[in-house]
Amino acid sequence: GGGTFDVSILERFEGLMEVRASTGDTFLGGEDFVQVILDHVLRQFPELPRDEFSPLHGRLWREGERVKRALGSSASVDFELTWEGRDFRLPITASAYEKDCEPLLQRFRRPIERALRDAKLDAAKIDEVVLAGGATRMPMIRRLVARMFGRMPAMQLNPDEVIARGAAVMAGLVGRDIALQEMVMVDVCPYRG
């Protein structure tokens, strides 16, 4: 969450939770998927200012975010913007967007594969895949995870609440909350020299 992509592999057994591996890409998140949309729009409309300090930048970003979210449930969405009395409209299809996002999807694969190697596990040995953060709502991310693990990720948990729940459990463990007295957490320090 928070504009980064993190992967942790946990093993849970009778009150013991062990972090077997933890890795990620701190420069990969939902914002990168919005940028793909904006790059496409700016290629089609070169007259729009590209400067992030332009008064248009915030409006471009909000519209890109809206389109990204809408493409999660629609086959095509129009990017719409009015600037200096001119209307800019560009239909964006989910399939074209996913194709443009392929380099980002490849970047998603690498930390997952590294975490599996670090944990010395095969993807088929993972019992449940839990996704966290807003970017995981995108169907292309869920399909990538399903292809890598051979099954769909857990859908019963709200990806916007998963991190908060984990932080609450960790706070309870650190604070020695009586409700968690039967649970032990063994963590790793992911360091690559």
Side-chain angles (χ1 to χ4, degrees):
T4 69
F5 176 58
D6 303 306
V7 178
S8 294
I9 297 178
L10 296 141
E11 183 173 13
R12 188 173 66 185
F13 181 76
E14 292 183 12
L16 174 70
M17 283 195 320
E18 179 183 1
V19 179
R20 298 276 307 267
S22 185
T23 189
D25 184 334
T26 56
F27 298 101
L28 177 62
E31 293 177 354
D32 296 295
F33 289 87
V34 174
Q35 191 62 52
V36 167
I37 292 168
L38 298 184
D39 290 345
H40 179 71
V41 168
L42 291 171
R43 278 193 306 272
Q44 300 303 312
F45 301 117
E47 62 272 31
L48 289 173
R50 293 170 171 6
D51 182 7
E52 67 181 81
F53 299 107
S54 157
L56 179 63
H57 182 73
R59 290 177 49 208
L60 274 169
W61 194 266
R62 283 189 298 279
E63 181 62 6
E65 179 69 30
R66 183 194 68 81
V67 169
K68 177 189 86 168
R69 289 174 186 234
L71 285 171
S73 58
S74 299
S76 180
V77 177
D78 286 346
F79 183 99
E80 301 174 314
L81 183 74
T82 300
W83 175 250
E84 294 183 343
R86 183 171 166 207
D87 291 330
F88 295 89
R89 174 177 278 193
L90 181 65
I92 299 176
T93 65
S95 59
Y97 176 53
E98 187 167 342
K99 184 177 180 204
D100 287 346
C101 289
E102 188 56 39
L104 295 177
L105 295 175
Q106 289 306 313
R107 284 180 60 193
F108 260 79
R109 291 181 71 87
R110 284 184 227 131
I112 294 170
E113 291 165 346
R114 185 172 52 231
L116 288 167
R117 277 193 313 273
D118 290 352
K120 297 176 178 63
L121 287 172
D122 183 74
K125 299 279 187 188
I126 303 293
D127 292 327
E128 187 173 34
V129 179
V130 177
L131 301 178
T136 64
R137 291 185 184 283
M138 292 187 291
M140 71 177 96
I141 299 295
R142 292 179 179 205
R143 282 193 301 274
L144 171 70
V145 168
R147 283 192 305 271
M148 291 186 76
F149 289 92
R151 68 188 160 290
M152 289 301 289
M155 306 299 275
Q156 72 273 18
L157 300 171
N158 180 334
D160 296 324
E161 296 173 358
V162 169
I163 293 173
R165 287 177 181 218
V169 168
M170 205 56 211
L173 288 170
V174 170
R176 301 184 190 277
D177 189 293
I178 196 159
L180 300 170
Q181 70 183 16
E182 299 296 319
M183 183 180 284
V184 176
M185 176 75 142
V186 180
D187 203 353
V188 297
C189 181
Y191 174 76
R192 290 194 171 276

